[in-house]
Amino acid sequence: SDVYKRQPLSSIRTQTTDSPAHLTSGFYKIEAGPSKPASYNFEETKYVLSGQIDVLDEATGITHHLVAGDFAFFHVGSKVQFSTKSSGMAFYSVTRPVRVAHPNQKEREEKTSKL
């Protein structure tokens, strides 16, 4: 994973191979407890809103301690473990197929991109 602290993100071409790949977002909350492993076959960004989120990059063995205002990017192939000593909240954005459509969005999807 690549961690960027308070730096702007440049344009990135997706390496997500699942098709179609949708850009989706939401909120990620973590509480103290066992670490939560994650393996990525898609890209994800996290922007920490509050608290602290620790990210162990399994490839390097480095743990990044993210706090409010920090930004992280996880590329395809990343393997990490999320944990916290207290709690943390982040906004995330991912490129991957929609797993389960939100019931309030039925019939509201865009048929084609406006970009």
Side-chain angles (χ1 to χ4, degrees), residues 55-77:
V55 182
L56 168 63
D57 182 341
E58 292 184 3
T60 65
I62 296 172
T63 298
H64 302 276
H65 304 284
L66 307 178
V67 296
D70 288 343
F71 176 87
F73 174 76
F74 304 94
H75 58 81
V76 172

Side-chain angles (χ1 to χ4, degrees), residues 6-95:
R6 297 177 185 90
Q7 296 176 2
L9 177 67
S10 61
S11 176
I12 296 174
R13 183 178 298 264
T14 184
Q15 297 297 308
T16 301
T17 57
D18 292 336
S19 184
H22 298 274
L23 179 64
T24 59
S25 60
F27 294 97
Y28 175 79
K29 184 175 183 180
I30 186 169
E31 299 287 341
S35 63
K36 297 170 178 32
S39 296
Y40 288 88
N41 60 356
F42 53 88
E43 288 92 7
E44 179 179 53
T45 61
K46 276 189 171 55
Y47 180 78
V48 180
L49 300 169
S50 64
Q52 179 180 341
I53 300 175
D54 296 328
V55 182
L56 168 63
D57 182 341
E58 292 184 3
T60 65
I62 296 172
T63 298
H64 302 276
H65 304 284
L66 307 178
V67 296
D70 288 343
F71 176 87
F73 174 76
F74 304 94
H75 58 81
V76 172
S78 295
K79 290 185 178 182
V80 302
Q81 294 183 32
F82 294 103
S83 64
T84 185
K85 293 179 180 163
S86 53
S87 66
M89 175 73 75
F91 176 80
Y92 72 86
S93 180
V94 298
T95 56

